[in-house]
């Protein structure tokens, strides 16, 4: 359950950002309160079952070789982030219909599929992944690969070979956000990951994300996450220790 609690806390925090990595779509149309309710419901439904017993086919545990390991996943135009989010939403929608055996079994299989997309990345991308020529997608991937820099709109426009004004216009039309605001949100998403999964001090996270002033980083984080980094870490640790 510690694994689930960690995932849940990250999902809730990142949902506040409205981020889907290279995707420009929101995670779900549900409210934050509904998302939290569904995650609690999913946890309740699996209470009393170990991770291995949830992920079984004919009594054989799935994915055992992957748990407890860090699996590096390089960002790519072929990442299929939207497909993962749609699958996650489908899993939650099944549980929203009630915790019947049929609904739980369906959610179980959706979860297997979702986990497989992370464990067998090359296959997942090869099935459908295609390189995007969309300048907005290219700009977002450039941001992700340079998350430790303080990029300007000029850096992004040069990378995609468009004028600053044109890039800003098409970027806002697709994402609902300016390029620089989106970049800040990506930084906060990475901050959540670093604070949750790694034993780093807040100032170390700030430096990794290109913020030379940890106090400025704290203000930006608090503004976007509605919680200070210190409070976020405290809540995350308390959740993982349950």
């Amino acid at each position: 359950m510690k694994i689930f609690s960690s995932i849940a806390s990250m999902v809730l925090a990142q949902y506040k950002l409205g981020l889907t990595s290279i995707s420009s779509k929101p995670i779900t149309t549900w409210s934050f309160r509904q998302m939290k309710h569904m995650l609690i419901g999913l946890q309740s439904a699996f209470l009393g079952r170990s991770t291995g017993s949830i992920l079984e086919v004919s009594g054989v545990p799935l994915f055992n070789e992957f748990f407890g390991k860090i699996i590096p996943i390089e960002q790519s135009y072929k990442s299929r982030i939207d497909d993962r989010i749609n699958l996650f939403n489908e899993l939650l929608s099944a549980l929203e219909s009630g915790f019947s055996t049929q609904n739980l079994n369906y959610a179980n299989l959706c979860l297997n599929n979702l986990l497989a997309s992370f464990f067998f990345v090359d296959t997942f991308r090869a099935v459908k992944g295609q390189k995007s020529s969309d300048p907005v997608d290219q700009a977002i991937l450039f941001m992700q690969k340079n998350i430790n820099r303080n990029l300007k709109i000029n850096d992004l426009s040069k990378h995609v070979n468009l004028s600053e004004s044109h890039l800003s216009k098409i970027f806002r039309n697709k994402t609902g956000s300016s390029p620089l605001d989106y970049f800040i949100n990506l930084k906060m998403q990475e901050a959540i990951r670093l604070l949750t999964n790694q034993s780093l001090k807040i100032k170390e996270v700030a430096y990794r994300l290109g913020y030379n002033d940890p106090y400025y980083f704290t203000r930006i984080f608090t503004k976007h996450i509605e919680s200070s980094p210190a409070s976020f870490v405290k809540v995350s640790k308390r959740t993982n220790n349950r």
Side-chain angles (χ1 to χ4, degrees):
M1 293 311 299
K2 288 185 178 180
I3 294 174
F4 179 87
S5 298
S6 178
I7 294 173
S9 63
M10 288 186 67
V11 168
L12 290 173
Q14 294 187 25
Y15 175 71
K16 287 187 176 182
L17 293 173
L19 284 174
T20 60
S21 295
I22 198 170
S23 167
S24 59
K25 299 178 182 179
I27 290 179
T28 178
T29 56
W30 297 339
S31 67
F32 180 76
R33 182 186 300 274
Q34 288 173 306
M35 172 69 85
K36 183 175 182 180
H37 172 74
M38 288 309 305
L39 286 171
I40 292 173
L42 179 59
Q43 182 175 4
S44 299
F46 291 154
L47 277 175
R49 308 185 191 182
S50 65
T51 303
S53 67
I54 295 172
L55 306 173
E56 289 184 352
V57 172
S58 300
V60 180
L62 297 176
F63 309 138
N64 275 3
E65 63 186 286
F66 298 102
F67 287 114
K69 299 179 181 179
I70 296 176
I71 304 174
I73 299 179
E74 184 178 352
Q75 293 165 338
S76 167
Y77 290 115
K78 301 179 180 181
S79 293
R80 296 181 60 193
I81 301 297
D82 283 344
D83 290 336
R84 285 196 181 101
I85 291 167
N86 289 336
L87 185 57
F88 184 67
N89 284 338
E90 189 167 337
L91 185 158
L92 294 182
S93 294
L95 294 175
E96 190 177 39
S97 300
F99 299 138
S100 65
T101 300
Q102 179 173 320
N103 289 347
L104 288 177
N105 285 336
Y106 184 82
N108 187 0
L109 293 175
C110 286
L111 179 60
N112 289 342
N113 194 355
L114 181 60
L115 291 174
S117 75
F118 291 102
F119 297 151
F120 308 106
V121 176
D122 291 340
T123 300
F124 179 69
R125 292 177 176 177
V127 170
K128 192 176 178 182
Q130 298 294 328
K131 184 174 181 178
S132 173
S133 60
D134 188 325
V136 174
D137 287 346
Q138 293 177 357
I140 291 174
L141 185 59
F142 185 68
M143 293 177 192
Q144 293 172 326
K145 290 186 174 182
N146 293 275
I147 201 74
N148 62 328
R149 295 176 54 191
N150 290 313
L151 297 177
K152 307 297 182 184
I153 184 65
N154 182 53
D155 299 317
L156 298 172
S157 62
K158 284 184 178 179
H159 179 72
V160 299
N161 198 28
L162 292 176
S163 68
E164 295 179 16
S165 59
H166 184 52
L167 174 61
S168 296
K169 180 179 180 180
I170 63 173
F171 198 100
R172 185 178 292 277
N173 286 342
K174 183 171 183 177
T175 69
S177 171
S178 71
L180 294 185
D181 283 344
Y182 197 97
F183 187 44
I184 291 174
N185 281 341
L186 286 178
K187 283 178 177 285
M188 295 304 102
Q189 185 183 40
E190 178 65 5
I192 289 170
R193 187 187 72 81
L194 292 173
L195 291 170
T196 303
N197 296 334
Q198 301 190 25
S199 300
L200 296 176
K201 295 180 180 179
I202 293 173
K203 65 178 181 180
E204 292 175 322
V205 173
Y207 294 152
R208 284 199 182 193
L209 296 176
Y211 294 101
N212 295 324
D213 183 355
Y215 295 103
Y216 178 69
F217 164 74
T218 295
R219 291 198 298 271
I220 295 295
F221 188 95
T222 302
K223 177 181 178 181
H224 285 77
I225 308 301
E226 299 179 4
S227 171
S228 69
S231 297
F232 177 83
V233 170
K234 186 181 297 184
V235 171
S236 179
K237 287 182 178 179
R238 186 164 62 242
T239 301
N240 291 340
N241 290 330
R242 289 178 181 174

